[in-house]
Amino acid sequence: MTKYNGVEIAVIGMAGQFPGAENVNEFWRNLQSGKESITFFSREELMAAGEDEAIADDPSYVNANARLNGKAGFDAAFFGYRPDEATIMDPQIRLFHQYCWAAMEDAGYDVTTYPDKIGLFAGGSPDNNWENYTILRNGQQKRVDEYSASQLRNITFLCSRVAYQLNLQGPSVFVNTACSTSLVAVQRACMSLLLRECKMAMAGGITLNSFSGRGYLYQEGMINSKDGHCRAFDAGANGTVGGEGGGVIVLKRLAEAIAEGDHIYAVIRGSGINNDGHDKMSFTAPGVNGQYNAVLKAVNMAGIAPDSISFVETHGTGTHLGDPIEIEALRRVFGNSSRQYCALGAVKTNIGHLDAAAGIAGFIKTVLCLHHRQLVPTLHYQRPNPAINFADGPFYVNTTLKEWSHNG
């Protein structure tokens, strides 16, 4: 029988949109089938999206992006906004209202009648293009006073805006830690629940950009892929590709979720958070020691042995620098092994890098794998990156759909 130590958090609701998936169920079907949801644009589509012809003709131009469909729709009246306010509002804030509502519905709760405090922890990606566009547009039309408009177009008001409209009275915290934003939001939500600051908490993140119908210029050694595909841990890996999407989960202390009959998708047993300081090659580079210590903290908090873990969803950017560092940090936690018993996953091979929403995408993927007891394929893996020593560790890259068996 599983033993709990009182710090466990239950995942009781989920919602979101991802490239090629309008909801979590579609996302799961895409993962099961090994679908790559990267869009490759024709020249006509690029020109229609406003791409510069000279840029599109550059030999290093990659006509790929993991875009989100249906991102323009928003039921303004339902959430208490006038049409002119909704027009100015950052589209990320618009959609995030909907994700929060849908996640609470999935959990079986009505935010308008729930009697206890609900917290909200989330982040989004700054979009200077949107801010500049709406400053100009509103300045010309003067439909919304500038003070109010500044709070609608600025992504840092994401959580407080949703909390106001949905009457959420727990902590409302906007998180911005770059690629780790939405996972840090989950961790902070767990800590808030354990501190009894709220009875339930929502956590997640979102990323949209104003030019998702365009590609990018490839630069050797930078994060973007040479051909628009992400090949995590593969010898041919040369980067990832940008994407859009967002997700929200609903959390509750496990003992209360069980007592109150909630549907439980998964249980968070431990977490770890830190920073590398300057113990790494450069500001934007990852560090082995920092990742090792964060993972070790999570494992120790959970009170489990590393060799009981049979799957790790990785950051998996498919870069020459990042992938080997990530696996080395994990290997230090798990130790050497003569058998490969722990599967690795990397959702970026399916949907690209969602920036502030990258972590929640991988988290929801893993929760779905637990819920359905299946491991889904990581795409484009053929030969191991020669800088990664898979032979002396417990890890292997899972490339097929298979049952997720366990030993208790």
Side-chain angles (χ1 to χ4, degrees):
M1 181 176 177
T2 301
K3 295 181 179 179
Y4 296 120
N5 58 19
V7 300
E8 295 82 10
I9 302 295
V11 181
I12 64 172
M14 298 189 295
Q17 288 179 289
F18 304 96
E22 290 299 304
N23 52 56
V24 168
N25 290 332
E26 287 185 15
F27 183 44
W28 174 245
R29 289 194 292 270
N30 289 345
L31 293 171
Q32 279 185 305
S33 63
K35 180 179 179 181
E36 182 186 47
S37 298
I38 310 295
T39 301
F40 290 85
F41 306 106
S42 67
R43 185 175 179 80
E44 290 73 21
E45 289 172 325
L46 292 172
M47 294 302 104
E51 185 60 281
D52 184 276
E53 191 169 351
I55 293 176
D57 289 336
D58 191 302
S60 62
Y61 187 81
V62 182
N63 61 329
N65 208 309
R67 69 187 306 183
L68 194 67
N69 294 320
K71 61 186 179 183
F74 178 60
D75 191 343
F78 180 82
F79 289 103
Y81 293 101
R82 304 193 310 268
D84 55 345
E85 293 175 319
T87 300
I88 292 171
M89 189 187 301
D90 187 321
Q92 296 173 110
I93 302 178
R94 289 186 215 151
L95 290 189
F96 206 74
H97 282 77
Q98 298 175 174
Y99 299 164
C100 289
W101 185 276
M104 288 296 293
E105 278 192 335
D106 186 57
Y109 290 96
D110 181 350
V111 293
T112 66
T113 60
Y114 188 70
D116 293 304
K117 289 184 178 181
I118 301 172
L120 178 58
F121 300 78
S125 296
D127 190 343
N128 293 331
N129 291 311
W130 180 263
E131 289 204 55
N132 292 336
Y133 164 72
T134 53
I135 288 172
L136 178 62
R137 177 170 180 167
N138 192 55
Q140 293 171 338
Q141 299 177 348
K142 301 189 185 304
R143 292 182 177 179
V144 180
D145 69 272
E146 185 53 33
Y147 180 73
S148 299
S150 67
Q151 298 165 7
L152 292 166
R153 68 168 71 100
N154 189 325
I155 190 60
T156 60
F157 288 96
L158 173 74
C159 291
S160 53
R161 175 62 66 182
V162 172
Y164 175 74
Q165 298 302 130
L166 300 187
N167 194 30
L168 309 180
Q169 296 180 10
S172 177
V173 180
F174 180 81
V175 178
N176 183 1
T177 60
C179 309
S180 63
T181 289
S182 51
L183 279 186
V184 171
V186 171
Q187 200 268 352
R188 293 290 92 184
C190 291
M191 295 301 107
S192 184
L193 286 165
L194 294 176
L195 288 171
R196 302 300 197 271
E197 293 175 335
C198 50
K199 183 69 178 290
M200 280 197 292
M202 287 187 280
I206 186 167
T207 289
L208 301 178
N209 70 73
S210 301
F211 300 105
S212 60
R214 305 181 188 180
Y216 57 87
L217 291 172
Y218 169 73
Q219 291 179 278
E220 182 72 32
M222 299 302 286
I223 193 170
N224 285 327
S225 164
K226 190 174 185 177
D227 58 3
H229 300 289
C230 180
R231 298 177 173 83
F233 313 116
D234 189 76
N238 54 34
T240 187
V241 58
E244 298 180 299
V248 173
I249 58 172
V250 182
L251 304 170
K252 185 186 280 190
R253 292 181 289 275
L254 177 62
E256 294 177 8
I258 293 172
E260 295 168 10
D262 291 309
H263 172 259
I264 298 173
Y265 284 103
V267 176
I268 301 172
R269 300 191 60 169
S271 61
I273 180 172
N274 64 6
N275 196 278
D276 294 309
H278 62 210
D279 185 19
K280 54 184 180 179
M281 185 183 301
S282 67
F283 176 69
T284 57
V288 173
N289 290 332
Q291 291 189 35
Y292 160 73
N293 286 317
V295 175
L296 184 64
K297 169 69 167 62
V299 170
N300 289 339
M301 181 178 176
I304 58 175
D307 62 8
S308 69
I309 299 170
S310 53
F311 174 73
V312 174
E313 173 65 18
T314 65
H315 191 50
T317 54
T319 58
H320 289 298
L321 179 66
D323 287 0
I325 287 175
E326 185 168 13
I327 300 306
E328 175 59 20
L330 288 170
R331 192 195 62 77
R332 289 189 187 182
V333 175
F334 281 69
N336 292 335
S337 176
S338 59
R339 63 186 182 92
Q340 281 72 52
Y341 60 84
C342 184
L344 299 177
V347 77
K348 290 178 181 64
T349 64
N350 301 90
I351 60 172
H353 193 335
L354 306 193
D355 196 35
I360 201 66
F363 185 94
I364 288 175
K365 169 195 167 179
T366 306
V367 169
L368 290 168
C369 287
L370 281 165
H371 179 65
H372 294 282
R373 303 193 176 200
Q374 289 184 318
L375 293 177
V376 297
T378 295
L379 309 185
H380 310 309
Y381 181 80
Q382 296 178 333
R383 296 179 297 116
N385 184 325
I388 298 175
N389 182 12
F390 282 119
D392 294 332
F395 307 110
Y396 68 94
V397 180
N398 185 62
T399 59
T400 61
L401 177 67
K402 65 180 184 180
E403 296 304 306
W404 189 351
S405 60
H406 62 93
N407 58 4

